[in-house]
Amino acid sequence: MFKQFKVRLAVIFGILIAVALSGAVLAVLVTTSNQVERTLQRELTVSERVFRELMDGRAEQLRRAAEVLTDDFGFKRAVASEDRDTIVSALINHGERIGTDLIALQAPDGDEIASTHDLNLQLLVSGEQGGKALLVSEGQLYQVVTVPVTAPNLIAWATLGFEVNNKLTEQLKELANADITLWLEQQNQLLASSLPAELREEFAQALSSEQQIYDNWVERSGLALQESTLNTVGGNVVHVSLTTSRAEAMRQFDELLVQILLIGAIALAITLIVALFVAKTISTPVALLSEAASKLKSGDYSPTNLQSRKDEFGQLADTFESMRSAIALRERKVRFQATHDQLTELPNRRELQRLLNQKLGDTTSPGWLILINIRNFRRLNDSVGQRMGDEVLKQIAERLLMDGQQSHLLARFGGDEFALVTHSATESELAHQLKQLGERLDKPFLVGGSQFELKFNCGAVQFPNQATELDSLIRRAQVSVKHAKEHNQFNAFYQEGFDEAHLRRLAIVEQLPKAIAQGGFNLVAQPKVSAINGRTVAAEMLIRWQDEQLGWVGPDEFIPLAEQSGMITEITHWVVEQAEQWVNQLRAAQDDIKLSINISAVDLVSDKLANDLVALSQRNMQRYLILEVTESALMNEPEKSIACLKMLSELGYEISIDDYGTGYSSLSQIRRLPINELKIDRAFIQHLMTQPDDQSIVRSTIQLAHELNLRVVAEGVEDEASWHWLLANHCDVLQGYYFSKPISFEELHLRLLKEKEHA
């Protein structure tokens, strides 16, 4: 409940007014208490003065009554004649007449003549003669006055006294406006008190206890106290305690406090009502805004219909509505951008995967996933620029959408890939559609006045028959694209067994690091022989891999994968190290031949190979090594590749162009390179004796290479007839199974040794 703003606001207002009222009440209480305390002290001071004046008045009354007695002639004569009976009779009659409680007659020397109480008459005489005093007799307090009896000389002392008792203190209370309690200090004895009987008894008990208990009782009883002392005849001290009730004094102030509290309660109630009203006035538009914000948070961007007001809340509502509209528009854009390709405005890869997951979940609606890959699109981007490449991609998307079937879904799957999802019923129907698609894509693309021809490959997988999970569906489509590319086809339908080749490639990539680190590779060498005499003049180092799990893995399998994964530089580094060892062993055996090392496109742009070869040149190894580079490798970053080859040539390495004739270069391009040797690809040599066209190509290649001062190597020589034809056409070096298959170092050493023996 306290989470609601209006409740919290009302509580805050209530707390503030309650604190203010509490402060006011506390101030009134403190001020009232202090004022009451000062008033009580003043009243008790006045009461003390009144008490003393009353006591003095009673003493004066006694004195006049005593003088009446002592002035009586008959009394004087009785005293003078020492008529004791007359004296006693006179004293009794006079005492009853004036209401005295104590009467005594003393001789001038202090001896008792007559007395109603057991008194120390010597003390009375030695006291204030003719004066007033207090004395304690038989546990009672008396106020007495002593006057002389003269005839005319002093013949006696007459003492009259009133008993100071509870009745007297009650009479004095009415006049002094305070309770009067008299108690004897020496015996802590209560003499008289106007206190109620219960308090009087507690007072007496407190007197008989320790001082601390007495003080605590005074505090606990709620009495205001003022004390004074009176001296008595004989040295006793009588304490006079004047008390009044604090509660009685506070009664009027309590009524005022009740009124203040009542007013405060009414003010608090009114404040809470006002606070609730104000809170509701404030919280209602805030609650509506909060509800609208919650809808916005949950993704509901529908109109909020907030109240139209002219105050700040109305301005806030208008601002919120503008913000909602802007966010709704931006959210639509963000969602579109998150699920669509910004260039072609087609669904992107993530959106395609989401839609495919939905379709895979519906087994009643089979379909096909077709991945369409643009071959060498990166080369197009590099040659004409990304802007032109983007325009080509837009045109590709437009052509793919020309089919116009609502059941088709087209998406951009990657930088150079599109995905098409269709629900064609049969493979033949889809094959017909793909044929039409291929015809549309075969037409040149016109951008900026230039025409561009592109090649495409696509792979098709049927779901859910051939794949029930998204990962396997996409993987099999990619495998089908790769199959179409390898077989130079426009499209390929997924077939059982495609996965095995793909999984084998993945396994090869996974095992490559282990083979590099644990020495899983080994080297063999295929001799290169002189066309004139068939003697070995060089050897091409070839890498072999026999894996425990994969079995035999050919270079044509793992070398492309090593290039793609970037591990080819590590393999080449290992081959270079092994080549140095072979060279050292051949030199030790005085076998003066050169070894050829195959260099990949990745190696040419890698600093690692350059560093290794520079280090070898510092050990004078460059004279024994030939670096073989395929002409296709030179097409990958050609400027950097050519610069690397020039640097290696300057170090003294011989450069050989391998597999010449299978790439895109010509002799006019080759002459720009710092090369020493040209190897004609085996594709032109294997059928040399049966293909006149191959003979023409080889003959012209040898002739033109010699014009450029290049050594020519023919690889793939499989028979003697080919050898003699090549010799007749002036080929320099031959390589092939006719002369030797790839052999180990030991076999190469024995071959060289036999050739020396037959020389």
Side-chain angles (χ1 to χ4, degrees):
M1 182 178 71
F2 286 99
K3 293 183 179 179
Q4 295 183 3
F5 172 74
K6 62 181 181 182
V7 175
R8 292 202 306 272
L9 186 61
V11 170
I12 291 172
F13 271 100
I15 292 174
L16 290 176
I17 194 65
V19 170
L21 289 174
S22 300
V25 171
L26 181 62
V28 170
L29 283 175
V30 172
T31 303
T32 301
S33 298
N34 294 336
Q35 183 62 35
V36 168
E37 195 67 29
R38 289 193 295 270
T39 301
L40 289 175
Q41 292 301 322
R42 286 197 298 268
E43 289 181 355
L44 289 175
T45 301
V46 172
S47 298
E48 180 185 359
R49 288 200 298 269
V50 171
F51 169 74
R52 291 186 179 276
E53 289 176 1
L54 290 175
M55 293 295 290
D56 290 343
R58 285 176 56 83
E60 182 62 24
Q61 181 183 355
L62 281 173
R63 187 186 65 76
R64 287 196 298 270
E67 288 178 349
V68 170
L69 175 64
T70 57
D71 288 342
D72 183 72
F73 179 77
F75 179 71
K76 289 182 178 182
R77 186 173 58 185
V79 172
S81 61
E82 298 181 354
D83 185 355
R84 184 175 179 82
D85 293 336
T86 302
I87 292 172
V88 171
S89 176
L91 289 173
I92 293 172
N93 291 333
H94 190 71
E96 290 177 351
R97 188 170 56 253
I98 63 176
T100 60
D101 299 307
L102 180 147
I103 301 176
L105 188 64
Q106 302 167 270
D109 56 2
D111 292 337
E112 180 182 332
I113 298 175
S115 177
T116 58
H117 291 74
D118 183 14
L119 302 174
N120 189 343
L121 298 179
Q122 293 293 333
L123 292 176
L124 289 174
V125 173
S126 63
E128 300 180 8
Q129 295 185 7
K132 54 189 177 181
L134 291 174
L135 63 84
V136 178
S137 175
E138 299 176 0
Q140 296 295 326
L141 177 65
Y142 295 90
Q143 183 181 21
V144 298
V145 174
T146 302
V147 295
V149 181
T150 58
N153 296 323
L154 179 65
I155 59 175
W157 293 99
T159 300
L160 284 79
F162 291 113
E163 181 182 353
V164 181
N165 53 21
N166 294 339
K167 183 178 180 182
L168 176 62
T169 56
E170 291 174 359
Q171 293 174 354
L172 294 177
K173 171 185 175 181
E174 298 297 329
L175 299 174
N177 197 29
D179 283 304
I180 302 170
T181 303
L182 304 174
W183 53 281
L184 193 61
E185 181 178 305
Q186 283 80 349
Q187 290 84 21
N188 288 331
Q189 176 187 352
L190 184 65
L191 299 175
S193 176
S194 64
L195 289 170
E198 183 178 354
L199 288 178
R200 188 184 307 163
E201 183 178 351
E202 292 178 359
F203 195 106
Q205 293 176 356
L207 284 177
S208 62
S209 304
E210 298 178 359
Q211 180 66 31
Q212 183 65 37
I213 297 177
Y214 168 71
D215 295 339
N216 292 340
W217 175 82
V218 172
E219 183 69 25
R220 188 175 63 254
S221 61
L223 298 175
L225 170 68
Q226 182 163 317
E227 289 191 346
S228 61
T229 58
L230 299 173
N231 294 323
T232 65
V233 177
N236 285 331
V237 177
V238 175
H239 286 262
V240 181
S241 297
L242 288 94
T243 58
T244 185
S245 173
R246 283 192 173 88
E248 188 67 25
M250 286 289 293
R251 183 172 299 156
Q252 293 181 349
F253 292 104
D254 289 342
E255 294 177 358
L256 175 62
L257 181 61
V258 170
Q259 294 174 358
I260 292 175
L261 291 175
L262 181 60
I263 293 172
I266 295 173
L268 180 60
I270 294 174
T271 302
L272 289 175
I273 294 173
V274 173
L276 286 172
F277 175 76
V278 173
K280 184 178 181 181
T281 304
I282 296 174
S283 64
T284 298
V286 171
L288 293 175
L289 284 169
S290 177
E291 182 181 354
S294 298
K295 289 175 60 179
L296 196 64
K297 178 182 177 182
S298 64
D300 183 358
Y301 301 104
S302 59
T304 54
N305 297 322
L306 294 173
Q307 294 179 353
S308 178
R309 301 163 59 112
K310 295 183 179 181
D311 56 7
E312 290 81 355
F313 291 108
Q315 296 176 3
L316 182 60
D318 294 340
T319 303
F320 181 87
E321 184 63 23
S322 300
M323 180 183 69
R324 182 202 62 78
S325 300
I327 291 176
L329 178 61
R330 187 161 55 250
E331 181 69 15
R332 286 194 295 270
K333 290 181 178 179
V334 169
R335 286 184 177 178
F336 183 84
Q337 292 174 355
T339 58
H340 288 73
D341 174 54
Q342 296 185 25
L343 179 65
T344 62
E345 296 187 353
L346 296 174
N348 57 19
R349 183 188 187 109
R350 186 173 66 177
E351 179 68 4
L352 174 67
Q353 290 174 337
R354 185 185 69 83
L355 295 173
L356 283 175
N357 271 323
Q358 293 180 355
K359 293 180 180 297
L360 288 172
D362 183 9
T363 57
T364 62
S365 179
W368 294 85
L369 171 64
I370 302 102
L371 284 186
I372 306 165
N373 179 264
I374 311 170
R375 297 184 65 173
N376 299 321
F377 182 72
R378 181 179 177 184
R379 183 180 300 172
L380 174 66
N381 258 346
D382 293 340
S383 60
V384 301
Q386 186 173 355
R387 185 181 66 82
M388 300 285 280
D390 289 346
E391 291 298 323
V392 171
L393 286 173
K394 291 180 182 179
Q395 292 189 26
I396 293 173
E398 291 174 359
R399 293 189 187 184
L400 292 174
L401 288 170
M402 282 183 181
D403 195 347
Q405 293 191 28
Q406 297 296 325
S407 60
H408 290 182
L409 170 65
L410 180 64
R412 188 177 179 190
F413 192 71
D416 58 354
E417 279 188 318
F418 291 85
L420 181 65
V421 180
T422 180
H423 293 278
S424 298
T426 64
E427 184 175 323
S428 60
E429 292 177 354
L430 181 60
H432 178 68
Q433 294 179 13
L434 292 178
K435 182 180 179 181
Q436 294 177 338
L437 178 62
E439 292 173 353
R440 291 200 301 269
L441 295 176
D442 276 343
K443 297 177 182 179
F445 295 89
L446 181 63
V447 178
S450 301
Q451 289 187 346
F452 302 96
E453 292 186 359
L454 297 176
K455 297 297 182 182
F456 297 85
N457 299 106
C458 61
V461 182
Q462 188 179 32
F463 60 86
N465 295 341
Q466 294 178 329
T468 57
E469 295 181 355
L470 179 63
D471 290 342
S472 61
L473 177 65
I474 294 175
R475 186 184 73 248
R476 290 175 177 177
Q478 292 172 333
V479 169
S480 301
V481 171
K482 188 173 183 65
H483 182 84
K485 186 179 298 184
E486 291 173 349
H487 291 79
N488 199 26
Q489 300 173 347
F490 172 70
N491 65 279
F493 288 87
Y494 175 78
Q495 302 293 331
E496 294 295 332
F498 283 8
D499 264 353
E500 285 72 8
H502 177 70
L503 294 175
R504 177 172 173 80
R505 286 193 292 269
L506 293 178
I508 290 173
V509 173
E510 183 180 355
Q511 293 297 324
L512 270 174
K514 298 179 182 178
I516 296 171
Q518 301 173 7
F521 297 114
N522 68 292
L523 286 177
V524 295
Q526 187 173 29
K528 295 180 178 180
V529 303
S530 170
I532 297 174
N533 54 27
R535 292 177 60 85
T536 304
V537 294
E540 180 181 1
M541 301 188 73
L542 302 173
I543 190 169
R544 296 293 182 259
W545 182 15
Q546 181 70 34
D547 188 78
E548 294 181 359
Q549 298 180 8
L550 300 173
W552 166 255
V553 185
D556 57 336
E557 277 191 290
F558 70 83
I559 292 298
L561 295 175
E563 289 179 337
Q564 294 171 13
S565 62
M567 288 183 282
I568 189 65
T569 56
E570 298 295 329
I571 296 176
T572 305
H573 174 73
W574 178 81
V575 171
V576 170
E577 288 182 339
Q578 297 298 312
E580 182 179 12
Q581 295 180 18
W582 280 38
V583 168
N584 289 331
Q585 294 177 30
L586 290 172
R587 291 174 63 187
Q590 298 183 348
D591 294 328
D592 191 14
I593 66 169
K594 291 189 175 184
L595 298 179
S596 296
I597 301 175
N598 290 288
I599 304 300
S600 74
V602 179
D603 291 324
L604 284 177
V605 295
S606 170
D607 294 335
K608 188 175 184 62
L609 174 66
N611 295 335
D612 289 342
L613 295 178
V614 168
L616 282 179
S617 68
Q618 294 172 353
R619 296 192 289 273
N620 201 27
M621 289 288 170
Q622 72 277 9
R623 296 186 301 128
Y624 305 99
L625 295 177
I626 301 174
L627 307 179
E628 293 192 9
V629 183
T630 60
E631 58 174 324
S632 59
L634 298 173
M635 301 304 294
N636 182 29
E637 300 189 36
E639 297 302 326
K640 190 171 183 179
S641 300
I642 293 173
C644 179
L645 291 178
K646 287 181 178 179
M647 184 270 292
L648 295 175
S649 178
E650 291 172 358
L651 290 175
Y653 289 99
E654 288 191 5
I655 310 298
S656 174
I657 296 298
D658 193 13
D659 298 337
Y660 178 77
T662 60
Y664 299 95
S665 62
S666 64
L667 282 175
S668 61
Q669 293 173 317
I670 293 298
R671 69 180 182 176
R672 298 175 53 226
L673 303 174
I675 60 176
N676 309 95
E677 180 180 275
L678 192 67
K679 294 183 70 175
I680 303 174
D681 188 71
R682 67 179 65 248
F684 301 102
I685 304 299
Q686 287 178 337
H687 307 289
L688 186 63
M689 303 312 296
T690 59
Q691 297 289 340
D693 292 341
D694 289 348
Q695 292 178 6
S696 298
I697 293 172
V698 172
R699 184 184 302 110
S700 60
T701 301
I702 294 172
Q703 182 178 355
L704 292 174
H706 284 164
E707 291 291 332
L708 295 174
N709 295 320
L710 300 179
R711 183 173 62 248
V712 180
V713 178
E715 57 178 343
V717 179
E718 307 294 339
D719 52 52
E720 185 176 0
S722 298
W723 174 17
H724 292 302
W725 189 94
L726 290 167
L727 176 61
N729 285 276
H730 310 293
C731 185
D732 302 303
V733 179
L734 307 177
Q735 182 181 0
Y737 272 67
Y738 179 75
F739 301 102
S740 176
K741 65 177 182 179
I743 56 179
S744 66
F745 176 81
E746 290 77 12
E747 291 173 322
L748 176 63
H749 176 63
L750 291 174
R751 178 185 177 90
L752 296 174
L753 186 60
K754 289 180 181 179
E755 289 180 355
K756 287 180 181 179
E757 292 175 352
H758 292 87

